Amino acid sequence: MQKKKNPGKLPLITFLVLISYFFLFPYPLGTELHLNPVWAKELVAGDFSGESENQPFTWVKTGNFFGYFNLSGDFYYVGRIFFDVALSNFGFVNFAKITENLVFIDNKGRFLFSFESYGYPVLTDQGERILTVNTDLCGIRELNREGELLWQKEFPTPITALSLKEDYLLIGLLEGRFELLDREGLLEFEFTPTGSRIETILGVAQMQGRLAVISGIDRQQLSVFEQKDQSFAPVFSRNLGTDFRREVMIDFSEDGRYLIFEGSNEVSVLDMNNRSSYSLLTSGRLKNFSTANEILITLSEVGGTTIFQISGLPNQLLYSELISTEDVFLRQIDEHLFLAINGHLVRIDVLEG
Amino acid sequence: MSWRAEFLRNLFIFIYLLLSFTVNALEWPVEKIILTATFGESRQDHFHTGIDLGGGEQTIFPISPGEVVFAYEKRSDYSSLPVALGNFVVLQHQEGIRSIYCHLKDDTLKRSLTEFNLQDPLGTVGDSGHSHGKHLHLSLIDSEMKTIINPLLVLPPLTDRQAPVIRRLFMKGEGDLVDLREGDEIKTGEVHILAEIYDLRGDVSFIWKLAPYKILLYVNGQEVNQVSFNFLQAEEGRLVLSDTRDSYRELYVSDWIYKLGRLDLTPGETHMQVFARDFAGNVSQHEYFFQVKN
């Protein structure tokens, strides 16, 4: 007797193979984000006592106010900006338009020290280094906490961009040259990118043995340098096709994998691992960006409003929102996002899941 | 570099600038010209790298046709450093000369143009940034020769009938600073000569000090030193005057007191002359006769 074929067997086997395939070789369908608003606080000047002092804390600078707060939203200090304020985790210098003394105050509003100085201050994130930029931008000096000069450097042209880290200072100059100075102010590396009709430096960034520079007009270019042995060598150069005649935002992502910089109504992302370039449309002029955990947050301005975007690096737009003011502060600590809008500070946690 | 090579280099720069700007004569950037600070003045810890022009809120024009290289406006532009120049714009002219216009009034910097002709307004004089009052700070940079140029070298001449003031001469040996007076008796040895010198604005009735253009020190008819505020250039990470190679710290004791030189005094009558000249050619002279004794 001939065995009767079972007509339902083949589709069943196909179905089981397919199911097994998806289990065995799952394909990511994309990041799903949850934006979890945690708290919102009004910024009012005053001394406060942040209670959970062991928590990470950071600062905010928006409009006429600045302040220090922790993850729970406890403010340590909120003050009014005189002319400008240099902020660090260690403390701040709230300085006047004409400054003859720099007064250092800690993040709870307590006096630390002061000294005579005429330039405008720049501090590292942790406040370990104190630098002042000459009022004509043609010089920079580092001082210790007693106000003693550690080193100084003057240039025959104004500084147009700088990137200050704990160990190195990268300085871009109007004349088209950039200098990398070590902790003692000694020249580690200098270079003048050529190939543009007008030479100038428009943006600088540095991270872990890598330097990135945007330079020139009429062939505006990006150049990347990497430390090899005792010096730096160019490893990448690209014509950007932009025509900026001002400082351009540029920085490495927190883990150093991506280089992120401003384009014309877009953010450009360069993957340092494979030198692939990506772009994210911002619909406006980039005002600020930050990265953490492969998430890029951007703020761009369009006609008095701000477009707030969250993207997965390198170029996956995940969320976009219009904020009806142009004065928005952005700061990010890991997955915690802090936005200051209209005198209020908001914490939003960006959760993947 | 020998003094001869240095002299030739500076002469070359001067002729080069003169030729560059003779072809395209420069114009003052504002209509009402009130010079309130000059090139090379002390700014507490560095040289003043340009000139200041007062006269209130005036329209600023380029000193020569040029192209925008860099601009900054506090309200709209990003900056990675605190900008004491306030709102400013840099134009590139011929032969790598760049002019910088600083402290512009907020929201007046014209961003719609990148190429500016003489009649195109750049913005309005203001007091943005590190500024005591409304003024235009103008700097000139030679980006090829890597020098900062005294704008008064190349801008149309100003009328000025007021000669600089040589107020006091000091001598500093091993002891304290001593005021030098006619007929003084001085001990032999090495001394530093210092002088309080300033030019004066001729258009105000009160004392408004400016730096002179040149200071010369002669001893017994021999030129000992000549300070000229022509150019600043970088040398070993410091800005120095192109003629004397003096850095800020080597020239200034305080805002109007200059270190004019070091002398090794030998016994006998000494004749010291100090000359101060401004840009219009007005000269002041002060001379001292004193006895040097063992």
Side-chain angles (χ1 to χ4, degrees):
Chain A
M1 198 175 153
Q2 201 179 357
K3 204 173 179 182
K4 208 176 176 182
K5 274 187 179 174
N6 186 348
K9 218 173 187 177
L10 191 66
L12 182 70
I13 291 167
T14 312
F15 176 73
L16 287 173
V17 167
L18 272 173
I19 289 290
S20 314
Y21 174 82
F22 284 122
F23 272 102
L24 290 171
F25 309 103
Y27 183 79
L29 294 174
T31 311
E32 197 168 300
L33 286 184
H34 298 280
L35 299 184
N36 181 30
V38 182
W39 47 255
K41 300 273 173 92
E42 191 179 356
L43 284 163
V44 184
D47 297 322
F48 307 91
S49 54
E51 285 169 5
S52 311
E53 292 198 14
N54 294 328
Q55 285 188 35
F57 65 93
T58 188
W59 64 79
V60 58
K61 182 181 172 187
T62 177
N64 295 325
F65 289 98
F66 71 98
Y68 288 85
F69 59 94
N70 64 18
L71 289 184
S72 304
D74 302 317
F75 283 105
Y76 296 159
Y77 179 80
V78 177
R80 237 174 219 286
I81 298 169
F82 296 150
F83 174 73
D84 202 352
V85 61
L87 295 154
S88 75
N89 278 352
F90 170 70
F92 63 87
V93 185
N94 190 6
F95 58 96
K97 186 178 168 82
I98 306 293
T99 169
E100 292 186 353
N101 284 290
L102 298 183
V103 182
F104 288 76
I105 308 287
D106 80 1
N107 54 37
K108 293 185 178 63
R110 297 173 299 210
F111 173 82
L112 288 168
F113 53 88
S114 71
F115 51 74
E116 189 180 84
S117 180
Y118 300 98
Y120 283 177
V122 181
L123 309 174
T124 46
D125 272 2
Q126 297 307 316
E128 287 167 2
R129 300 183 68 183
I130 303 164
L131 284 89
T132 60
V133 180
N134 284 10
T135 49
D136 58 3
L137 306 186
C138 289
I140 193 159
R141 62 193 71 201
E142 182 159 3
L143 309 155
N144 64 17
R145 290 179 182 181
E146 281 73 48
E148 293 161 347
L149 181 70
L150 299 177
W151 58 264
Q152 68 172 329
K153 189 112 199 229
E154 292 180 315
F155 308 99
T157 173
I159 300 168
T160 47
L162 66 80
S163 167
L164 174 65
K165 303 277 183 194
E166 297 303 329
D167 294 325
Y168 291 104
L169 170 66
L170 182 59
I171 297 172
L173 298 167
L174 181 72
E175 68 179 42
R177 189 167 53 93
F178 68 86
E179 290 192 0
L180 182 72
L181 306 181
D182 70 9
R183 192 76 195 244
E184 277 76 48
L186 299 172
L187 186 67
E188 188 88 5
F189 178 65
E190 65 175 329
F191 194 81
T192 305
T194 54
S196 304
R197 184 172 56 83
I198 297 176
E199 287 170 2
T200 191
I201 301 294
L202 300 162
V204 294
Q206 55 158 327
M207 179 170 273
Q208 295 156 359
R210 275 188 182 140
L211 313 175
V213 175
I214 292 176
S215 64
I217 290 169
D218 202 353
R219 205 178 123 88
Q220 207 150 74
Q221 53 192 331
L222 168 72
S223 311
V224 179
F225 300 79
E226 279 182 0
Q227 194 161 22
K228 287 184 177 158
D229 302 323
Q230 294 302 305
S231 189
F232 284 81
V235 292
F236 180 84
S237 179
R238 199 180 94 189
N239 186 356
L240 297 174
T242 49
D243 186 33
F244 292 116
R245 288 155 195 260
R246 58 173 171 80
E247 188 173 354
V248 177
M249 300 182 86
I250 179 169
D251 206 354
F252 286 94
S253 61
E254 206 184 48
D255 59 3
R257 176 170 170 186
Y258 298 101
L259 177 67
I260 298 146
F261 55 97
E262 189 179 355
S264 295
N265 289 340
E266 65 173 32
V267 178
S268 298
V269 178
L270 177 71
D271 188 336
M272 297 304 298
N273 285 357
N274 54 23
R275 310 276 151 77
S276 300
S277 296
Y278 306 89
S279 62
L280 281 157
L281 291 179
T282 55
S283 320
R285 182 168 166 174
L286 188 68
K287 299 294 281 185
N288 200 351
F289 71 81
S290 75
T291 63
N293 303 338
E294 302 259 315
I295 296 286
L296 170 68
I297 314 284
T298 58
L299 296 175
S300 49
E301 188 204 333
V302 186
T305 62
T306 301
I307 298 173
F308 166 64
Q309 288 182 336
I310 302 178
S311 309
L313 282 167
N315 68 334
Q316 187 187 10
L317 179 64
L318 302 169
Y319 180 79
S320 183
E321 183 69 53
L322 188 75
I323 303 170
S324 57
T325 175
E326 59 184 275
D327 183 21
V328 182
F329 169 84
L330 166 70
R331 196 150 179 88
Q332 196 176 0
I333 301 177
D334 300 325
E335 71 275 20
H336 314 296
L337 191 63
F338 302 97
L339 290 172
I341 309 162
N342 293 334
H344 287 77
L345 183 65
V346 182
R347 172 180 155 189
I348 300 168
D349 287 354
V350 183
L351 307 170
E352 287 183 58
Chain B
M1 202 184 280
S2 70
W3 70 269
R4 199 182 295 272
E6 198 54 44
F7 173 77
L8 287 172
R9 182 187 182 277
N10 288 329
L11 189 70
F12 170 74
I13 295 174
F14 187 71
I15 293 168
Y16 164 82
L17 282 171
L18 217 62
L19 287 174
S20 308
F21 289 120
T22 312
V23 180
N24 289 300
L26 298 190
E27 301 284 343
W28 284 97
V30 286
E31 201 182 334
K32 196 158 79 178
I33 303 154
I34 295 173
L35 188 67
T36 57
T38 49
F39 182 86
E41 280 180 16
S42 162
R43 285 294 178 268
Q44 284 84 35
D45 56 8
H46 63 275
F47 287 115
H48 189 225
T49 48
I51 56 168
D52 289 347
L53 297 164
E57 277 187 22
Q58 307 186 65
T59 305
I60 304 163
F61 297 95
I63 56 165
S64 169
E67 181 177 351
V68 175
V69 177
F70 194 91
Y72 171 80
E73 264 190 302
K74 189 174 181 180
R75 292 189 189 176
S76 57
D77 292 326
Y78 163 75
S79 179
S80 54
L81 64 156
V83 185
L85 294 181
N87 306 316
F88 75 97
V89 60
V90 183
L91 295 188
Q92 163 115 350
H93 309 285
Q94 291 191 334
E95 313 294 339
I97 305 295
R98 292 179 181 181
S99 54
I100 311 178
Y101 309 81
C102 312
H103 308 301
L104 272 60
K105 186 180 176 185
D106 286 345
D107 305 319
T108 64
L109 181 56
K110 194 169 182 181
R111 303 301 283 266
S112 55
L113 291 179
T114 52
E115 303 269 357
F116 280 83
N117 284 313
L118 281 176
Q119 69 279 6
D120 297 324
L122 285 166
T124 306
V125 173
D127 67 344
S128 57
H130 188 275
S131 164
H132 288 274
K134 285 173 188 165
H135 75 281
L136 170 68
H137 173 91
L138 173 73
S139 281
L140 272 187
I141 286 172
D142 184 335
S143 55
E144 287 174 8
M145 303 299 287
K146 315 283 183 216
T147 50
I148 306 176
I149 306 159
N150 184 343
L152 295 181
L153 282 173
V154 288
L155 284 166
L158 286 174
T159 310
D160 173 16
R161 291 187 182 85
Q162 182 96 44
V165 175
I166 303 168
R167 192 155 181 267
R168 286 183 299 174
L169 232 70
F170 309 95
M171 206 174 260
K172 186 169 183 352
E174 286 174 2
D176 292 336
L177 206 64
V178 287
D179 255 311
L180 206 55
R181 288 188 188 85
E182 189 74 26
D184 274 357
E185 285 190 1
I186 312 283
K187 278 188 176 175
T188 53
E190 193 182 275
V191 291
H192 291 266
I193 306 297
L194 300 95
E196 183 180 357
I197 300 173
Y198 46 82
D199 197 13
L200 288 169
R201 265 177 69 178
D203 59 331
V204 288
S205 54
F206 49 89
I207 292 175
W208 184 297
K209 297 173 182 175
L210 304 168
Y213 169 47
K214 280 188 179 187
I215 305 169
L216 293 97
L217 173 68
Y218 281 76
V219 177
N220 296 331
Q222 296 287 313
E223 184 181 307
V224 173
N225 196 13
Q226 181 182 147
V227 177
S228 305
F229 294 107
N230 287 320
F231 314 102
L232 287 166
Q233 60 194 75
E235 192 175 87
E236 294 170 3
R238 305 165 313 158
L239 281 178
V240 296
L241 288 171
S242 55
D243 298 320
T244 53
R245 334 297 289 174
D246 282 335
S247 67
Y248 175 83
R249 290 274 167 235
E250 286 161 344
L251 181 65
Y252 280 102
V253 175
S254 63
D255 280 359
W256 306 102
I257 299 182
Y258 302 89
K259 296 175 193 168
L260 293 188
R262 203 179 57 191
L263 296 179
D264 198 9
L265 297 177
T266 50
E269 190 180 66
T270 302
H271 177 208
M272 188 182 288
Q273 291 168 290
V274 177
F275 297 90
R277 210 197 111 181
D278 67 16
F279 242 92
N282 303 303
V283 181
S284 290
Q285 181 192 346
H286 228 108
E287 57 187 335
Y288 300 87
F289 289 91
F290 53 88
Q291 289 294 326
V292 179
K293 291 190 172 173
N294 282 318

